[in-house]
Amino acid sequence: MSTRELPTYCRICEPLCGLIATVEDGKLVRLRADKEHPLSRGNACPKGIAFTEIQNDPDRVLHPLRRAKDGSFEQVSWDTALDEIGERLRGIIAEHGRGSLGWYFGNPSSFSYSHTLWMLGFQLAAGLHHVYSAGSQDVNNRFVASALLYGSPTSVPVPDLDRTDFLLMIGANPVVSHGSVMSVPRIREKLTAITKRGGRVLVVDPRRTETARLFEHVGVRPDTDAWLLAALLQVIFDEGLEDARALRRQAAGVRELRAAVARFTPEGTASITGLEPDRVRALARDLARADSAAVYGRTGTCLGRHATLVAFLIDALSLVTGNLDVPGGSVFGKELVAVSELNARLGLVGYGRHRSRIGDFPDVLRTFPAAVMAKEIATPGPGQLRALFTSAGNPISSVPNGRELAAAMARLDLFVSIDIYVNDTNRLADYILPATTFLERDDIPLPFTALSPTPYTQYTERVVEPYGEAREEWRIIDDLATRIGVQPFMIGPHLLGRAVSALRRRVPAARVRPTPTLLVDLALRTGPYGDLFGLRRGGLSLRMLRRHPHGLVLADSIATGVLPKVVQHKGGRVRLAPREIITELQALTAPTVDPGFPLRVIGMRELKSHNSWMHNVEPLMRGDREHAARIHPKDAAVAGISDGSRCRVTSPHGAIEVTARLTDDMVEGTVAIPHGWGHRGGWQRANAAGGANVNDLMSTDLADIERLAGMSHLNGVAIRLDPA
Ligand SMILES: Nc1nc2c(c(=O)[nH]1)N[C@H]1C(S)=C(S)[C@@H](COP(=O)(O)OP(=O)(O)OC[C@H]3O[C@@H](n4cnc5c(=O)[nH]c(N)nc54)[C@H](O)[C@@H]3O)O[C@H]1N2
Ligand SMILES: Nc1nc2c(c(=O)[nH]1)N[C@H]1C(S)=C(S)[C@@H](COP(=O)(O)OP(=O)(O)OC[C@H]3O[C@@H](n4cnc5c(=O)[nH]c(N)nc54)[C@H](O)[C@@H]3O)O[C@H]1N2
Ligand code: SF4
Ligand SMILES: [Mo]
């Protein structure tokens, strides 16, 4: 028997904690935290450790599956599956063109460089129009805010946690989520270090969360952050607390922004946010006077009606208080691979260059709002979506109105999914193609270096060979592309510019068939940290990273003073008053309350769940976990609901039943329900766990989709409660 201990890293969520995999005879037997990882230093969460159960799960899909006549799935060979899919695709393209093909890629794809790279290559080479992702339920508003502010959608600042004196955290619960759009292992320690050195952490959230309990909590009403942020800016301008020097140096449009926020006084917004005017004033003064401050917002600020405006105001507040691009403030990390620079130069992906057929929404990095996907399938006419692929996604569970999407999917000419499970969505597919897990592929976390307050990177080889017939996504995409006459890697030369000319010099043209590993090595070597093929001593290459299997810290902290490089707008200034934002501010009107739906539902994350896909894991499901709504006792009393009873949650768009859990952690009038429950896939334990799909309550009416970034409205949705 051979036993090996291999360093690798977790790719479930953004800290990317170092792991040691114990592999016996090609089978994973154990995962533990890697003590030698420079940043996670022996820390990992229960999900990372429990991934062993997923790797070895008997419910995993390990062979290509085809839907049989009786509706069940039957195993077929890869050749059969790929040939049949290819033939059907060619037929669909012959009749309706490539514009009828579409793709939805889900959250785990962001943790695989090869999946993302080949997906983008395929999309650009095939000219795919119908592309959707988890982004419109997650973070696209953040990209649009950056496009408007900096002219560069992928330039996103991170809070400089190690150096800040004041962290204002809005709509995030990193003690449970482990941090997002910032890549920070041991996040709890990093946050408590701020208060230990005499600083402050202030959490703005409608629930007194696990994070809020450790620090100061401001219990805001859901979906009112825009009013709070505008009021903070109003106080700062009104009391002359702005950093005039920073504004002169960095910004354009100050006067217009100042005028646009003038009507949002703490007194005038108190009835909307539920916050005492004195408290808001004090917060504005403290923030402006702090030696350094970082303003950070996450999903709680992304899934409301004004998501882009909110993300925009978060950075505006940083800039106006002199905290953008300075130590301890909101800072811009250096990219491992120069994606933003390439984008600026080549314009591969951007914002608002294309419009959706349904709803006329702008694209965000060449994706459209997933909330319109069902209507794109169901609405006849030129450009109708007829053949859909999903990879690493479970949209029936994760996008609004899963029932509408399920009904639409039944009308597709072809539905193919690339996944490790039969989930709540691909159970409706014609084919399911088995993907490798993250342990079965090599990886380098490309986007996360720039999001780490301590810049670092790590390259890992696969630690086990693929189980069964599982294949890496990029290979599957490549095989599918070939069958419709498309070559994803043809984009290589444009994508990688300098890198590919170097490749041409080194490898005779006839033999060039790029693989992700080859392309990423070239991009890395010619990137900001690269070895430039020997010209830069100590620079990065894959070969060099292989010598550091536990990962490599690249700098002690993020360099500041880089804004002139980040900003791509003409004139080199951050735009504080783009027309889109001023229009939004002018249009903000107090939310109305329908007496039939007096409460508001928001989301929350649980330590032992991961979106929709870790409910089949026995160690995570112990203790009879169940899907529960967190309800304030006063709201429960009004509705006649007691702790532990079943309750019915009704919105104007749907109804679900869940267990009631009473807690005064909730701001009155607000109910929190996790997403990703109520399973009907091929995962036995997950199905048995019960619960409901909270997104059945959510709307895909075009008027309910946020205009600027196409964000789904998932937080602050009107509901009522009744006993079940
Ligand atoms: N109401 C509400 N809805 C939400 C949210 C919310 O806060 N509230 N959050 C939103 C957010 S932030 C997100 S990111 C989305 C997530 O939404 P999605 O990305 O659509 O769904 P996931 O639940 O992450 O499902 C991921 C799928 O990928 C599969 N998978 C796991 N690893 C791999 C792999 O290596 N390869 C492949 N091919 N497949 C793999 C899993 O089996 C699973 O089927 O949900 C969104 N929906
Ligand atoms: N354990 C675990 N970890 C995860 C995930 C998981 O499912 N489970 N998912 C991963 C993914 S895909 C992501 S994107 C990240 C997300 O990372 P986070 O955004 O940190 O995760 P959440 O716990 O959803 O935190 C959002 C907070 O916003 C609050 N909130 C809701 N509505 C509002 C509002 O209108 N205003 C304000 N100010 N706050 C509001 C909620 O109460 C909640 O506490 O987590 C990642 N990590
Ligand atoms: S926090 Fe947990 S799930 Fe996230 S990367 Fe670390 S071990 Fe993996
Ligand atoms: Mo997410």
Side-chain angles (χ1 to χ4, degrees):
M1 194 175 74
S2 82
T3 301
R4 294 188 304 156
E5 302 260 281
L6 300 164
T8 184
Y9 64 88
C10 182
R11 279 150 273 173
I12 297 171
C13 78
E14 290 166 69
L16 308 165
C17 304
L19 295 175
I20 302 288
T22 308
V23 179
E24 277 177 17
D25 294 330
K27 191 168 184 278
L28 178 79
V29 294
R30 195 161 84 102
L31 289 167
R32 64 186 155 84
D34 180 4
K35 294 200 176 89
E36 290 176 66
H37 190 281
L39 298 181
S40 61
R41 290 179 284 111
N43 205 63
C45 84
K47 288 180 302 173
I49 302 299
F51 194 81
T52 313
E53 312 290 323
I54 289 191
Q55 177 65 34
N56 297 326
D57 193 339
D59 286 343
R60 237 184 98 182
V61 176
L62 294 177
H63 305 278
L65 300 178
R66 177 178 65 192
R67 180 170 303 287
K69 289 229 166 53
D70 67 1
S72 67
F73 283 113
E74 61 188 5
Q75 188 178 322
V76 292
S77 73
W78 269 108
D79 282 347
T80 304
L82 291 169
D83 288 345
E84 288 180 7
I85 294 166
E87 195 183 320
R88 287 173 69 173
L89 281 175
R90 289 193 298 274
I92 294 166
I93 293 169
E95 205 173 330
H96 306 287
R98 282 191 197 153
S100 62
L101 312 187
W103 204 293
Y104 171 94
F105 55 101
N107 172 271
S109 68
S110 349
F111 298 93
S112 164
Y113 83 100
S114 51
H115 186 169
T116 334
L117 192 62
W118 246 245
M119 175 60 221
L120 182 66
F122 177 57
Q123 178 184 0
L124 296 177
L128 284 198
H129 173 80
H130 284 292
V131 181
Y132 308 90
S133 82
S136 54
Q137 290 65 249
D138 187 341
V139 68
N140 283 356
N141 61 317
R142 184 52 260 189
F143 296 134
V144 174
S146 285
L148 297 173
L149 285 156
Y150 314 117
S152 171
T154 47
S155 296
V156 174
V158 292
D160 191 6
L161 296 182
D162 291 327
R163 293 185 287 189
T164 198
D165 296 293
F166 193 126
L167 176 63
L168 176 59
M169 182 149 53
I170 311 175
N173 185 17
V175 166
V176 166
S177 71
H178 301 114
S180 179
V181 192
M182 60 172 171
S183 193
V184 188
R186 294 180 164 264
I187 182 83
R188 188 193 182 109
E189 237 172 73
K190 290 264 184 202
L191 296 177
T192 48
I194 298 173
T195 49
K196 275 192 192 142
R197 59 177 185 259
R200 289 174 66 186
V201 177
L202 212 135
V203 181
V204 179
D205 199 303
R207 185 168 74 90
R208 196 189 318 122
T209 59
E210 295 78 354
T211 309
R213 279 173 183 284
L214 298 178
F215 305 105
E216 298 168 62
H217 177 218
V218 178
V220 73
R221 291 209 187 112
D223 211 1
T224 65
D225 304 282
W227 283 266
L228 170 61
L229 288 159
L232 291 171
L233 283 165
Q234 189 275 334
V235 174
I236 288 166
F237 283 128
D238 190 51
E239 299 189 0
L241 298 172
E242 72 270 23
D243 187 326
R245 212 172 134 247
L247 289 174
R248 264 198 314 276
R249 272 204 342 248
Q250 299 178 328
V254 184
R255 227 174 338 115
E256 293 89 330
L257 178 66
R258 182 189 175 124
V261 297
R263 69 181 177 103
F264 296 94
T265 61
E267 291 71 20
T269 51
S271 64
I272 296 167
T273 61
L275 301 176
E276 285 285 319
D278 285 348
R279 199 152 181 224
V280 175
R281 259 175 217 289
L283 173 54
R285 291 172 188 151
D286 292 351
L287 188 75
R289 288 176 186 149
D291 286 339
S292 67
V295 192
Y296 164 78
R298 201 47 197 98
T299 54
T301 63
C302 297
L303 309 177
R305 287 192 181 274
H306 312 287
T308 304
L309 175 63
V310 171
F312 184 98
L313 293 178
I314 284 173
D315 283 16
L317 191 56
S318 289
L319 195 161
V320 170
T321 55
N323 287 302
L324 191 68
D325 190 32
V326 297
S330 297
V331 295
F332 296 89
K334 189 157 83 174
E335 290 170 315
L336 195 60
V337 170
V339 174
S340 297
E341 192 196 313
L342 281 169
N343 257 339
R345 203 146 43 87
L346 305 167
L348 286 175
V349 294
Y351 168 55
R353 300 199 185 140
H354 308 266
R355 311 293 298 193
S356 64
R357 183 178 70 118
I358 305 293
D360 192 37
F361 289 96
D363 78 301
V364 182
L365 308 178
R366 287 240 192 177
T367 66
F368 290 116
V372 301
M373 198 160 55
K375 293 183 176 66
E376 291 282 8
I377 299 168
T379 312
Q384 184 180 2
L385 172 51
R386 294 168 185 273
L388 180 70
F389 290 82
T390 62
S391 59
N394 193 5
I396 285 181
S397 171
S398 63
V399 316
N401 199 348
R403 275 166 303 139
E404 179 195 37
L405 185 57
M409 280 173 160
R411 301 169 55 166
L412 285 166
D413 292 346
L414 179 66
F415 175 15
V416 179
S417 170
I418 304 172
D419 208 284
I420 60 173
Y421 281 113
V422 178
N423 66 24
D424 313 296
T425 304
N426 66 15
R427 68 188 184 86
L428 304 172
D430 299 304
Y431 295 86
I432 301 177
L433 305 176
T436 54
T437 66
F438 65 75
L439 295 172
E440 295 166 344
R441 59 177 175 248
D442 77 319
D443 231 323
I444 178 166
L446 290 185
F448 297 101
T449 298
L451 299 175
S452 172
T454 316
Y456 90 107
T457 192
Q458 181 168 13
Y459 177 73
T460 180
E461 304 279 5
R462 56 166 64 152
V463 297
V464 283
E465 290 300 312
Y467 285 15
E469 292 183 279
R471 285 187 187 174
E472 292 182 48
E473 290 92 350
W474 77 270
R475 275 188 191 284
I476 304 173
I477 295 169
D478 209 67
D479 281 338
L480 290 167
T482 308
R483 280 169 171 77
I484 58 166
V486 171
Q487 281 183 302
F489 52 80
M490 287 301 283
I491 199 66
H494 317 292
L495 237 191
L496 298 161
R498 275 193 293 174
V500 164
S501 35
L503 169 76
R504 287 227 185 85
R505 265 182 273 118
R506 290 161 53 88
V507 194
R511 283 191 9 236
V512 178
R513 187 175 185 279
T515 60
T517 319
L518 185 64
L519 288 185
V520 84
D521 188 40
L522 290 165
L524 191 63
R525 298 183 76 173
T526 52
Y529 292 99
D531 74 351
L532 303 175
F533 296 97
L535 291 179
R536 192 191 282 145
R537 284 179 66 113
L540 299 185
S541 65
L542 281 193
R543 198 162 139 218
M544 187 266 205
L545 285 180
R546 283 192 180 98
R547 292 201 298 270
H548 298 275
H550 301 279
L552 191 63
V553 170
L554 302 171
D556 291 337
S557 56
I558 291 179
T560 52
V562 301
L563 204 57
K565 267 187 159 172
V566 168
V567 176
Q568 299 294 330
H569 288 311
K570 275 202 199 85
R573 283 162 182 278
V574 180
R575 292 194 182 156
L576 288 184
R579 180 186 42 79
E580 294 87 338
I581 293 298
I582 299 300
T583 309
E584 282 267 302
L585 275 170
Q586 285 165 347
L588 270 191
T589 45
T592 48
V593 179
D594 175 344
F597 303 97
L599 307 174
R600 293 282 180 273
V601 68
I602 60 170
M604 61 176 286
R605 281 172 164 75
E606 298 166 293
L607 198 61
K608 294 184 179 176
S609 292
H610 198 77
N611 296 325
S612 73
W613 63 279
M614 294 193 81
H615 290 141
N616 211 43
V617 179
E618 193 275 331
L620 300 180
M621 297 304 283
R622 275 178 210 158
D624 294 326
R625 285 188 57 202
E626 63 176 342
H627 193 206
R630 277 64 163 182
I631 305 169
H632 193 280
K634 284 195 188 154
D635 295 325
V638 171
I641 289 165
S642 58
D643 191 42
S645 69
R646 300 283 293 166
C647 65
R648 191 171 172 77
V649 187
T650 310
S651 79
H653 309 281
I656 60 170
E657 280 186 24
V658 286
T659 300
R661 195 174 297 163
L662 308 198
T663 165
D664 62 10
D665 286 343
M666 299 307 305
V667 161
E668 270 183 65
T670 309
V671 174
I673 307 179
H675 69 285
W677 287 76
H679 297 289
R680 303 173 65 188
W683 30 27
Q684 314 295 326
R685 186 174 285 106
N687 292 348
N693 182 355
V694 74
N695 285 326
D696 284 350
L697 299 174
M698 311 308 178
S699 164
T700 56
D701 293 354
L702 298 181
D704 290 322
I705 303 172
E706 193 257 352
R707 259 292 134 195
L708 292 176
M711 299 304 292
S712 295
H713 183 211
L714 304 174
N715 277 337
V717 172
I719 54 155
R720 74 161 178 271
L721 288 177
D722 298 288

